[in-house]
Amino acid sequence: MLTGVITAHESADATVVIPISVRDLLFRDLPACTWSGSATHLRHVERELARAAAGEVDYLAVCTPVDLPVAIGGIDYQVSEEAGTLWQLAVLPALQSRGLGTLLIRAAEQRIRNRGLCRAELAVEENNPRARALYERLGYAAYGRRSDAWDEEGPDGSNRRYETMCVLMRREL
């Protein structure tokens, strides 16, 4: 069990300390993860959990004392033979900038090490400087760029193809 500290921005004397844990994300967690994306996204996460059962990926959840996921993310071991590839990292918006993303990434890096791999890789959208700053602070360095695309659900429920440019980053573990 780890301890997370959540500090309010408005008042320096408002601090809440709660124990948190990191475990595998489970199928039963998906209804509590709607904050992480649309129904289309959650169906994709559900497919990835099936891959986790086959050992191809790990999908982690940072959880509160009542076992509620507040940060989630995956590690794909099929993208590169020499690295674990972090993807779909998300933190409950109300709890961002509280250290949960750092905890999630460090737990993912430990899973990668446990597989006998020495490198973690990820791709971050160029238009997401906040996430890139976190990765750089954690020791990740940019080494390239690539375009990426995925299906995204609009507010009206329709699906469209989202296209973006990503910065490729990696860290030796």
Side-chain angles (χ1 to χ4, degrees):
M1 188 72 65
L2 305 166
T3 301
V5 177
I6 301 171
T7 306
H9 290 293
E10 297 83 27
S11 174
D13 57 329
T15 301
V16 176
V17 178
I18 60 169
I20 53 176
S21 60
V22 180
R23 61 166 173 78
D24 290 326
L25 186 70
L26 305 171
F27 286 104
R28 67 176 165 82
D29 294 321
L30 293 178
C33 294
T34 57
W35 53 265
S36 71
S38 67
T40 299
H41 168 74
L42 289 175
R43 283 191 298 275
H44 182 73
V45 172
E46 186 174 22
R47 286 192 300 275
E48 296 306 323
L49 291 178
R51 290 183 64 213
E56 297 174 2
V57 304
D58 282 324
Y59 216 113
L60 304 178
V62 176
C63 297
T64 67
V66 294
D67 210 28
L68 183 68
V70 292
I72 61 174
I75 312 146
D76 195 323
Y77 301 105
Q78 303 296 301
V79 175
S80 170
E81 289 183 16
E82 300 172 356
T85 302
L86 306 179
W87 96 118
Q88 294 185 348
L89 303 173
V91 175
L92 180 71
L95 296 179
Q96 290 178 355
S97 298
R98 304 289 191 264
L100 297 173
T102 297
L103 177 64
L104 177 63
I105 291 167
R106 293 303 190 216
E109 291 170 346
Q110 187 58 52
R111 292 282 183 107
I112 293 167
R113 280 189 209 93
N114 291 349
R115 291 269 186 135
L117 300 171
C118 302
R119 189 172 66 241
E121 298 180 345
L122 56 85
V124 60
E125 289 184 80
E126 285 183 335
N127 64 357
N128 192 348
R130 187 173 175 188
R132 183 172 177 176
L134 169 63
Y135 304 142
E136 288 173 343
R137 193 169 60 253
L138 295 178
Y140 286 78
Y143 69 92
R145 297 172 71 228
R146 78 157 189 255
S147 61
D148 202 353
W150 53 84
D151 290 333
E152 180 181 75
E153 189 174 323
D156 63 353
S158 65
N159 284 326
R160 63 176 185 221
R161 194 74 175 156
Y162 176 80
E163 297 183 11
T164 190
M165 183 60 69
C166 293
V167 176
L168 303 175
M169 303 183 81
R170 65 179 160 220
R171 177 176 183 266
E172 298 300 321
L173 303 176

